[in-house]
Amino acid sequence: PDGELTTLVEFTGTAGANPGSGPFARVVQGSDGNFYGTTIQGGASGFGTVFRMTPGGGLTTLVEFTGTAGANPGSYPRAGLVQGSDGNFYGTTSGGGASSLGTVFGVTPGGELTTLVEFTGTSGASPGSSPYAGLVQGSDGNFYGTTWVGGASGYGTAFKMTPDGQLTTLVDFTGTAGANPGRNPKAGLMQGSAGNFYGTTSGGGASNLGTVFRMTPGGQLTTLVGFTGTAGANPGSKPEACVVEGSDGNLYGTTSEGGASNLGTVFRMTTPGKPGINLFPPEGLTTTSVDLLCEIIPRGAATTVSLDYGSDGIEFPNSLVIPPSMTGYQEIRVGRTLSGFNPGSTYYYRFRATNNFGETVGPIQSFAILSEPTVTITAAGELTPTSARLQGQVNARNHDATV
């Protein structure tokens, strides 16, 4: 493999040069250029640490967790950190805090810890227990996350927390049925481009094999997929990671089990939303016409498509609606042949797709109409009584030409 490995830190447990043990999560690079992370165990009390590391591998232990009490309540941080818009870092511990059910904390780049939430299980002031995943800061400035268990049904929660630690339980998962199907969310949340949050539960749903869900910032849950194991409509089970949103607007993720061999799956899921556009190069260029093509992904709503074109790439005085309206979740190839152009000229175009979720405007593309080749006749040469060399110059105008 092409890659040179440099070991920057070797952790040393409860003491030694680099306290800490068992870093489960990735590091995050802070705005200061250093890297920040957690270890699930180690540190003076053995309950885990928060550390800062320079790009060269210089380690500074910022926090050594102290369990249910002490200076730094919390234990066993399984997840990494997120740097908030205020420059501080935020994370979770899966245990510790006053009830030994986990915490949410903030820590400055210098290592000053503030315990923001101490979870209280199935009831109490801060319902939830054992947050396994980290946090995401929403576009509203609040932090969003999940707990593995706890909440009213004991199946886990999704929550919102203000930067100063005010907790709101948005969702109490209800298992295989009920208002909020799903149980035991092991992963955190992802905020999509439309502002909603997406996540997974490792169990629950109709088949008790896990779900993918969408949640509004206000806590309205929609179950998008219930996994069906080794067969069925939605093969896969026990998703343990969050989904990501691709540049095409689709969601991509994995399940740790299920699929035909019961060894896990990778999936793509299209959710209702603004339509997508995939472009193709122009085809069929002539001296007056061109074929312009694209693929439209309606994303579950009736979608209309328009083709705009013009000569400067700024204004698009010509617009053509491409009927009919289309719907569904599959890619649909559409296009039109345009004619009446001036030979040798360059034109610009874009596709627009609109449904009730909004409008997607494709990138501006260009095409050059073919120019007619030119021929310049020169004087004949190599004259003999019976032959001559007839000569001329052909300008193919940057395209194939037959002479």
Side-chain angles (χ1 to χ4, degrees):
D2 295 330
E4 182 179 345
L5 183 80
T6 301
T7 302
L8 298 175
V9 172
E10 296 179 271
F11 289 102
T12 54
T14 55
N18 299 315
S21 172
F24 272 25
R26 67 174 186 170
V27 295
V28 61
Q29 188 168 28
S31 56
D32 61 1
N34 294 314
F35 295 89
Y36 294 78
T38 61
T39 66
I40 194 170
Q41 293 180 312
S45 301
F47 291 133
T49 70
V50 177
F51 62 85
R52 179 180 68 227
M53 184 191 73
T54 67
L59 187 85
T60 301
T61 303
L62 299 176
V63 174
E64 296 176 276
F65 288 104
T66 53
T68 56
N72 299 314
S75 61
Y76 312 129
R78 299 174 62 99
L81 305 170
V82 60
Q83 187 170 30
S85 57
D86 60 2
N88 294 322
F89 294 87
Y90 295 82
T92 62
T93 65
S94 62
S99 302
S100 196
L101 297 175
T103 71
V104 181
F105 63 86
V107 60
T108 67
E112 181 180 347
L113 184 93
T114 301
T115 303
L116 298 169
V117 172
E118 296 177 276
F119 287 104
T120 54
T122 55
S123 60
S126 302
S129 176
S130 302
Y132 280 5
L135 306 169
V136 60
Q137 188 170 29
S139 56
D140 60 2
N142 295 314
F143 293 90
Y144 293 78
T146 61
T147 65
W148 166 251
V149 289
S153 300
Y155 293 140
T157 70
F159 63 84
K160 173 178 72 178
M161 184 195 74
T162 64
D164 62 358
Q166 299 298 309
L167 187 84
T168 301
T169 302
L170 298 175
V171 173
D172 287 292
F173 289 101
T174 53
T176 56
N180 300 314
R183 63 184 299 169
N184 307 127
K186 204 167 190 177
L189 302 170
M190 180 277 295
Q191 188 169 31
S193 56
N196 294 316
F197 292 88
Y198 295 86
T200 62
T201 64
S202 62
S207 300
N208 201 26
L209 296 174
T211 70
V212 180
F213 63 86
R214 179 180 66 235
M215 182 187 75
T216 68
Q220 181 179 349
L221 187 93
T222 301
T223 302
L224 301 174
V225 169
F227 288 103
T228 53
T230 56
N234 301 312
S237 65
K238 297 185 180 178
E240 298 195 359
C242 193
V243 294
V244 298
E245 185 176 38
S247 59
D248 58 4
N250 295 322
L251 302 182
Y252 294 81
T254 61
T255 65
S256 64
E257 297 181 15
S261 301
N262 201 29
L263 297 174
T265 69
V266 180
F267 62 86
R268 178 183 67 195
M269 186 177 69
T270 303
T271 62
K274 292 197 298 182
I277 299 175
N278 297 326
L279 294 176
F280 295 104
E283 297 180 359
L285 280 163
T286 73
T287 55
T288 59
S289 65
V290 64
D291 298 332
L292 301 179
L293 306 166
C294 74
E295 276 184 346
I296 301 297
I297 306 98
R299 296 185 65 187
T303 298
T304 57
V305 181
S306 298
L307 172 57
D308 307 328
Y309 59 99
S311 60
D312 61 7
I314 300 173
E315 300 292 334
F316 296 90
N318 307 294
S319 186
L320 175 67
V321 177
I322 301 177
S325 175
M326 56 201 74
T327 189
Y329 288 93
Q330 301 301 313
E331 296 90 348
I332 301 171
R333 186 164 174 145
V334 300
R336 281 292 180 270
T337 298
L338 303 182
S339 60
F341 297 111
N342 297 321
S345 298
T346 297
Y347 295 87
Y348 300 84
Y349 70 97
R350 67 187 181 189
F351 285 95
R352 290 183 293 115
T354 307
N355 63 20
N356 60 356
F357 290 96
E359 180 180 65
T360 298
V361 179
I364 297 172
Q365 304 290 297
S366 65
F367 58 90
I369 290 295
L370 300 188
S371 298
E372 295 179 351
T374 60
V375 177
T376 302
I377 303 298
T378 59
E382 301 177 12
L383 295 170
T384 73
T386 58
S387 67
R389 180 182 179 85
L390 304 181
Q391 304 178 117
Q393 292 181 335
V394 175
N395 184 342
R397 308 294 288 269
N398 203 33
H399 293 283
D400 294 336
T402 301
V403 179

